[in-house]
């Protein structure tokens, strides 16, 4: 597990199109999941300890944000051959265990979408306004020894609520950190 931090938010960058298979065996596109007021695109996986540390609270926040006009998609881009815990079957179980009621969980088997977004770690959050312009690329909340520091709403929830109200994200953002994306080995 290589600890990786996300780059600084590239404010205004447009969301990249995608069409990926969901755990419901449906193809989901960016247009399908676009929120009325905001859209949250996150790169996660099933096995990462950083994701596991926050996933129950994160799912609850996403369910709450749905009521504010925020739609959410979670994209799993890891190499499932070398990381079988992240297999499609395990994605289905993971979503069920963690109450992904309002999160569309999709698989990026080719890793093309993770590359388009320049996703670097799990979790990696991309918060967009209603025009699909990037406004947040920060952390979920502070972690200490892989335990969430609970002191009010998460950084992510605060940022996404701000985006729904003003269409702008916070100027100050603390990078997300987690395990690096497990890229497939390129055959030469």
């Amino acid at each position: 597990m290589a600890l990786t931090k996300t780059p600084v938010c590239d404010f205004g960058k447009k969301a990249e199109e995608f069409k990926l298979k969901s755990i419901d065996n449906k193809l989901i596109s960016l247009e399908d999941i676009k929120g009325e007021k905001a859209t949250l695109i996150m790169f996660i996986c099933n096995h990462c300890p950083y994701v596991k540390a926050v996933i129950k609270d994160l799912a609850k926040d996403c369910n709450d944000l749905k009521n504010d006009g925020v739609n959410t998609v979670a994209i799993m881009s890891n190499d499932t051959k070398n990381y079988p815990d992240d297999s499609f079957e395990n994605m289905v179980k993971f979503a069920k265990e963690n109450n992904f009621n309002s999160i569309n969980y999709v698989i990026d088997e080719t890793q093309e979408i993770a590359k388009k977004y320049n996703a670097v770690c799990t979790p990696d959050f991309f918060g967009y306004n209603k025009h699909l312009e990037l406004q947040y690329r920060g952390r979920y909340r502070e972690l200490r020894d892989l335990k969430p520091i609970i002191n009010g709403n998460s950084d992510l929830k605060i940022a996404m609520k701000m985006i729904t109200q003003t269409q702008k994200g916070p100027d100050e953002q603390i990078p997300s950190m987690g395990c690096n994306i497990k890229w497939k080995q390129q055959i030469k």
Side-chain angles (χ1 to χ4, degrees):
M1 149 178 96
L3 178 62
T4 306
K5 292 185 180 183
T6 57
V8 175
C9 182
D10 188 1
F11 286 98
K13 184 172 189 211
K14 293 295 259 182
E16 297 285 345
E17 293 290 337
F18 59 81
K19 190 168 267 192
L20 298 169
K21 184 171 86 167
S22 75
I23 57 171
D24 300 326
N25 280 311
K26 295 178 185 159
L27 283 179
I28 303 286
S29 71
L30 177 61
E31 193 57 38
D32 294 332
I33 60 96
K34 183 180 180 213
E36 179 188 333
K37 294 184 180 174
T39 303
L40 175 60
I41 298 172
M42 55 188 172
F43 289 82
I44 68 167
C45 69
N46 308 328
H47 87 275
C48 172
Y50 291 90
V51 172
K52 287 180 169 183
V54 299
I55 196 63
K56 292 220 184 281
D57 291 334
L58 176 59
K60 183 182 178 315
D61 281 357
C62 291
N63 292 336
D64 292 347
L65 286 166
K66 178 82 171 164
N67 297 324
D68 293 324
V70 179
N71 284 353
T72 304
V73 64
I75 301 174
M76 203 301 295
S77 298
N78 279 353
D79 173 3
T80 57
K81 183 177 178 210
N82 289 313
Y83 297 88
D85 286 352
D86 292 331
S87 71
F88 187 78
E89 297 74 25
N90 285 326
M91 287 173 61
V92 173
K93 290 179 197 167
F94 189 75
K96 192 174 285 192
E97 290 166 1
N98 292 293
N99 301 317
F100 280 26
N101 302 334
S102 62
I103 300 172
N104 295 285
Y105 199 16
V106 299
I107 189 164
D108 176 20
E109 293 176 281
T110 66
Q111 301 184 316
E112 178 186 329
I113 304 308
K115 289 174 184 168
K116 274 185 167 180
Y117 275 83
N118 193 27
V120 295
C121 62
T122 56
D124 197 345
F125 302 102
F126 295 78
Y128 293 90
N129 64 20
K130 68 181 176 183
H131 305 293
L132 294 174
E133 299 163 333
L134 187 62
Q135 297 298 316
Y136 189 71
R137 179 106 189 252
R139 69 181 181 185
Y140 176 66
R141 73 163 62 245
E142 182 181 359
L143 293 179
R144 193 170 299 137
D145 298 324
L146 287 176
K147 302 240 183 316
I149 306 300
I150 309 292
N151 55 358
N153 283 330
S154 67
D155 295 20
L156 178 69
K157 188 172 185 180
I158 292 166
M160 293 310 296
K161 281 187 162 290
M162 177 187 283
I163 293 167
T164 65
Q165 294 162 5
T166 68
Q167 294 302 296
K168 299 260 184 237
D171 292 333
E172 297 292 318
Q173 300 180 12
I174 299 169
S176 183
M177 60 184 195
C179 299
N180 61 309
I181 301 256
K182 307 306 185 228
W183 300 107
K184 295 177 181 180
Q185 290 200 336
Q186 301 299 315
I187 300 169
K188 295 182 180 183

